[in-house]
Amino acid sequence: MSEARDQILARVRGAIAQTPRPAAAPRAYRRADPRGQAELIEQFCERVGDYRAEVQRVRADRVADAIRTAAQRHRAQRLAVAPGLPQRWTAGCGLQLVPDDGLAVRELDTLDGVISGASVAIAETGTIVLSGAPHEGRRLLSLVPDLHICVVEHQQVVGLLPQALERLHGAVSDERRPLTFISGPSATSDIELQRVEGVHGPRRLVVIVTQEPS
Amino acid sequence: MRAPGESFPAAAHHELANPQLRANLANATTTIRTKRARVVEELPDWQALRDAGSAIKADVMANLDTYLLEFEAALTAAGATVHWARDGAEACAVVAQVARAHGAQEVVKVKSLATDEIELNRSLAQEGIHALETDFAELILQLDGDWSSHILVPAIHRNRTEIRDLFRRTIAPGIESDEPAVLAEAARLHLRERFLEAKVGVSGANFGVARTGTLCVVESEGNGRMCTTLPPVLVTIIGIEKLVPTLADLEVFLQLLPRSATGERMNPYTSLWTGVSDGDGPQELHVVLLDNGRTRVLADEIGRQALHCIRCSACLNVCPVYSRTGGHAYGSVYPGPIGAILTPQLIGIENAPSLPFASSLCGACYEVCPVKIDIPRVLLHLRARAVDTVGGRGERSAMRAAAWVFARGSRLRAAQRLGRIAQRLLLSGGVIRRLPPPLSAWTRTRDLRPLAPRGFVEERGERE
């Protein structure tokens, strides 16, 4: 196979030998957002809603209530939780919580839902980003169960996608953590371009946003 | 990649005769076009993003050897095994070898054009390994032995009733409703067990980050996440042109791609992974760097911009030719305007000489392209190469004969007299519908107006 490697590299070098080095890419697009946090959260919630996900703004000390009512609404009793999920978010919620300490996938598949935190949220696109931190858990945790309840903290919301990537730069380049950008529940538009929520990922996504820094 | 079985005009003829196909296509392309326009309009800096995207890709091409080596080193450091494949056969062999090493009779697959291009499924089948397509549309096509007609919505030519009937025959006997939600549920049930059982996943990649070795898959359904996180082993096949220099460069493409592709602000799921993560996802990662004609494209200074393509399919949806003929007429994994410039370069212009002509050169594709590929310019460039390579002998002798006739007024008048007599045999309804060979090539797709009873020169002569 190293023969293939040498040959491909030689072909590439031959193909670009005469190519002058292009100028640096112009970056005139927006990389900062002048808006205040309240406005960003307003837009984030509106755009998450556009994907037909449920979104709720609550006081930081009312997260557990919001989780309980969301779970009840979806008739979810047994929910997996990320191993490092802050306890105050679920204290007294009355649900049967199953911490992910390496649950087998089949076990996970029998649960009604999952509760996780997030790393960053993007207002302009209504996106939440998970980066495999302890309060978010493994990638399959937010994938296999049919209901995903995700808690986004006030200060995690940024305006634009470039700002989100900047915040996560170290997580990827230094720690090699995986990133998952989630924009609404899983969907397909493969049948006559009609959008259907929910194919393989969670069919229902509930985003709970705290109203002030916690 | 196989060469198209027949020329574009011939294939387009039977596709155009299918009214169901034309209705499905017109509906689909109009819908996506409208959605795209709305979300692109929303961004005040869309043109700046396009400029950046185009320049980043030009930089990648100009320094591709450096970026490939950087990518390989970063991947290796992150625990992945890197393979280089000169052609499709070498790439398929890697997947087969990995599957065999893990005793897998089935691999679960994310929708990937690169794997379609190298006909991975067929090749694995010959080794006794089944490649299960898990994208909803790809599953439909696989169940029916059909093939994709759109980069992004592969089963765009199928309607709900056709899909319901197919499912009834295959994965969901007894299914009654043709509601999209019911059909999606049937696919979910059918695939869930297969995901949980899978030993080996196979994916393509939308982007690879040279600096960090990060791979990126952009999708909607979650089947991509299933295939890249559930199986203990993952093989990712990535064309060598798919690199971007740094993680920060993704900030450009992750904005350009979803809005251009599905007309959404962001697609439901975008996954980035960097080698192997402890206790999270596959613990064995193989990455195949695929050439398969790409270095040939790279060697053409005008044509190489086809390699900038991020497979959004916006050019298909705006193309007046594609939106009538559909994808099958192109006889290629890459249909539409981008296919008309990419396919002939990947497999050699002599193997697809009619594709660069499958365009009216209206320029709509260039305007919507998120990375500003000047498709009309490349089309013209390839048309010239097609004529130089394969065609044009007949045309050249016809032009020589015409030059001889036009050189003298007496010759022209004689030719016109002759023509007026001869055309009486050919006229039907006031036009000539069919000329004898070799001139029949002209009238195969056009009607010809007959010669006027009196030519311009004769008219002028009489008035003087």
Side-chain angles (χ1 to χ4, degrees):
Chain A
M1 273 307 189
S2 80
E3 191 192 313
R5 178 181 188 272
D6 294 344
Q7 204 175 349
I8 292 172
L9 286 170
R11 285 183 194 159
V12 168
R13 287 177 182 134
I16 59 176
Q18 307 298 318
T19 309
R21 211 188 151 77
R27 307 221 180 227
Y29 55 88
R30 294 166 302 151
R31 301 174 93 184
D33 194 323
R35 293 177 293 175
Q37 202 64 12
E39 207 180 327
L40 295 181
I41 288 177
E42 183 82 28
Q43 189 185 45
F44 172 70
C45 292
E46 173 203 314
R47 302 223 155 155
V48 169
D50 284 349
Y51 295 122
R52 290 188 235 173
E54 291 170 33
V55 60
Q56 258 180 293
R57 267 182 281 183
V58 299
R59 270 175 32 199
D61 59 356
R62 305 306 288 267
V63 171
D65 286 343
I67 288 178
R68 185 184 59 238
T69 52
Q72 280 168 351
R73 208 165 43 246
H74 292 285
R75 297 195 179 82
Q77 251 308 307
R78 294 173 66 231
L79 292 99
V81 290
L85 196 81
Q87 291 214 326
R88 63 177 189 281
W89 286 352
T90 51
C93 71
L95 299 162
Q96 197 181 329
L97 301 177
V98 185
D100 175 32
D101 49 9
L103 287 171
V105 188
R106 292 203 173 272
E107 240 174 302
L108 196 56
D109 197 32
T110 64
L111 300 180
D112 303 326
V114 57
I115 307 165
S116 84
S119 286
V120 190
I122 307 166
E124 190 171 74
T125 59
T127 303
I128 50 182
V129 191
L130 312 188
S131 69
H135 69 294
E136 298 162 316
R138 309 181 275 169
R139 282 173 283 174
L140 57 84
L141 197 60
S142 57
L143 175 65
V144 174
D146 207 13
L147 167 71
H148 180 194
I149 299 175
C150 184
V151 181
V152 171
E153 293 177 89
H154 179 272
Q155 70 279 8
Q156 289 178 325
V157 180
V158 298
L160 311 173
L161 191 138
Q163 296 173 297
L165 262 182
E166 196 180 356
R167 279 203 189 183
L168 295 162
H169 193 275
V172 176
S173 63
D174 305 337
E175 300 172 56
R176 295 190 185 127
R177 272 153 50 188
L179 301 185
T180 307
F181 292 64
I182 299 175
S183 308
S186 104
T188 183
S189 301
D190 278 342
I191 308 165
E192 298 177 11
L193 287 174
Q194 186 175 327
R195 188 181 159 105
V196 176
E197 273 77 29
V199 193
H200 303 296
R203 283 182 277 196
R204 293 155 300 163
L205 174 67
V206 178
V207 180
I208 294 168
V209 189
T210 64
Q211 273 171 341
E212 68 283 334
S214 43
Chain B
M1 184 163 49
R2 267 184 291 183
E6 56 186 345
S7 73
F8 179 82
H13 253 294
H14 20 103
E15 295 299 311
L16 285 169
N18 179 347
Q20 179 70 56
L21 172 78
R22 290 176 64 182
N24 293 357
L25 270 174
N27 174 35
T29 50
T30 314
T31 309
I32 315 187
R33 263 201 319 259
T34 315
K35 282 177 71 185
R36 177 202 163 271
R38 199 167 50 221
V39 293
V40 163
E41 198 123 298
E42 225 175 65
L43 290 192
D45 53 353
W46 184 252
Q47 295 307 330
L49 285 166
R50 287 179 81 213
D51 287 335
S54 170
I56 292 166
K57 284 290 185 178
D59 169 57
V60 169
M61 299 311 147
N63 299 288
L64 190 55
D65 54 336
T66 313
Y67 289 130
L68 281 168
L69 290 172
E70 198 181 358
F71 188 53
E72 181 190 39
L75 275 168
T76 310
T81 308
V82 178
H83 309 260
W84 299 69
R86 282 168 289 198
D87 53 29
E90 287 185 348
C92 293
V94 173
V95 183
Q97 178 202 320
V98 171
R100 265 199 310 267
H102 292 275
Q105 316 242 285
E106 178 170 275
V107 300
V108 288
K109 260 193 72 191
V110 191
K111 170 180 181 303
S112 146
L113 289 160
T115 59
D116 291 344
E117 176 192 319
I118 62 175
E119 296 184 88
L120 175 67
N121 298 5
R122 210 168 58 122
S123 167
L124 288 179
Q126 282 164 3
E127 305 273 329
I129 301 159
H130 181 239
L132 177 67
E133 294 289 354
T134 63
D135 172 77
F136 188 70
E138 292 284 350
L139 173 70
I140 292 167
L141 300 179
Q142 187 175 46
L143 287 171
D144 211 19
D146 193 0
W147 50 295
S148 167
S149 67
H150 190 281
I151 288 177
L152 199 75
V153 200
I156 199 167
H157 56 294
R158 293 306 191 84
N159 65 28
R160 61 179 73 190
T161 315
E162 293 173 307
I163 297 166
R164 194 265 322 266
D165 294 346
L166 170 68
F167 277 14
R168 201 184 267 166
R169 287 200 306 274
T170 51
I171 59 169
I175 191 169
E176 290 293 333
S177 167
D178 61 1
E179 271 305 303
V182 175
L183 297 171
E185 170 71 12
R188 177 187 172 96
L189 287 172
H190 172 67
L191 289 175
R192 176 68 48 144
E193 192 58 28
R194 315 284 277 273
F195 282 132
L196 299 184
E197 283 296 318
K199 291 179 189 146
V200 177
V202 176
S203 84
N206 293 91
F207 307 101
V209 181
R211 181 73 51 83
T212 55
T214 305
L215 293 160
C216 175
V217 161
V218 173
E219 54 134 353
S220 296
E221 297 174 10
N223 65 310
R225 293 181 66 194
M226 289 279 179
C227 292
T228 57
T229 52
L230 282 183
V233 181
L234 174 63
V235 187
T236 299
I237 300 175
I238 179 170
I240 54 172
E241 83 283 18
K242 295 281 182 139
L243 298 190
V244 298
T246 67
L247 206 55
D249 293 315
L250 285 180
E251 72 192 19
V252 175
F253 298 103
L254 292 183
Q255 294 192 74
L256 289 171
L257 180 54
R259 289 180 199 255
S260 301
T262 47
E264 294 168 297
R265 295 187 181 113
M266 193 84 184
N267 50 292
Y269 299 129
T270 295
S271 300
L272 273 69
W273 69 98
T274 306
V276 171
S277 307
D278 227 4
D280 184 352
Q283 296 301 297
E284 186 177 325
L285 172 64
H286 296 266
V287 179
V288 182
L289 299 171
L290 177 71
D291 180 347
N292 204 34
R294 285 159 177 75
T295 47
R296 187 213 310 248
V297 187
L298 189 66
D300 184 322
E301 268 178 66
I302 295 170
R304 76 162 61 122
Q305 53 184 310
L307 296 177
H308 296 189
C309 175
I310 57 173
R311 313 282 189 259
C312 73
S313 72
C315 64
L316 276 60
N317 303 327
V318 297
C319 178
V321 176
Y322 175 87
S323 58
R324 284 167 183 79
T325 65
H328 287 169
Y330 294 79
S332 147
V333 171
Y334 305 102
I338 186 62
I341 62 169
L342 189 56
T343 303
Q345 296 196 85
L346 283 174
I347 65 176
I349 189 96
E350 65 281 6
N351 296 313
S354 68
L355 282 184
F357 297 87
S359 163
S360 66
L361 298 178
C362 75
C365 47
Y366 178 40
E367 262 167 52
V368 298
C369 178
V371 290
K372 297 177 86 169
I373 300 171
D374 191 346
I375 296 178
R377 179 170 182 228
V378 181
L379 282 167
L380 285 174
H381 170 68
L382 294 177
R383 286 180 184 190
R385 275 184 44 200
V387 170
D388 290 345
T389 319
V390 284
R393 264 194 305 272
E395 195 175 319
R396 269 195 293 273
S397 37
M399 286 298 168
R400 267 198 298 274
W404 182 82
V405 170
F406 281 111
R408 291 258 174 82
S410 57
R411 287 180 199 159
L412 179 61
R413 279 191 293 277
Q416 283 172 330
R417 273 196 301 276
L418 204 62
R420 280 183 207 116
I421 296 165
Q423 74 184 6
R424 286 182 208 152
L425 302 167
L426 303 166
L427 274 172
S428 104
V431 291
I432 298 168
R433 298 197 195 277
R434 199 168 295 163
L435 283 169
L439 300 173
S440 54
W442 178 265
T443 49
R444 196 150 50 220
T445 50
R446 307 168 184 87
D447 292 336
L448 190 66
R449 307 263 310 159
L451 290 167
R454 299 171 57 76
F456 175 73
V457 177
E458 287 148 327
E459 286 275 344
R460 193 187 59 178
E462 268 175 28
R463 281 185 193 170
E464 271 171 3

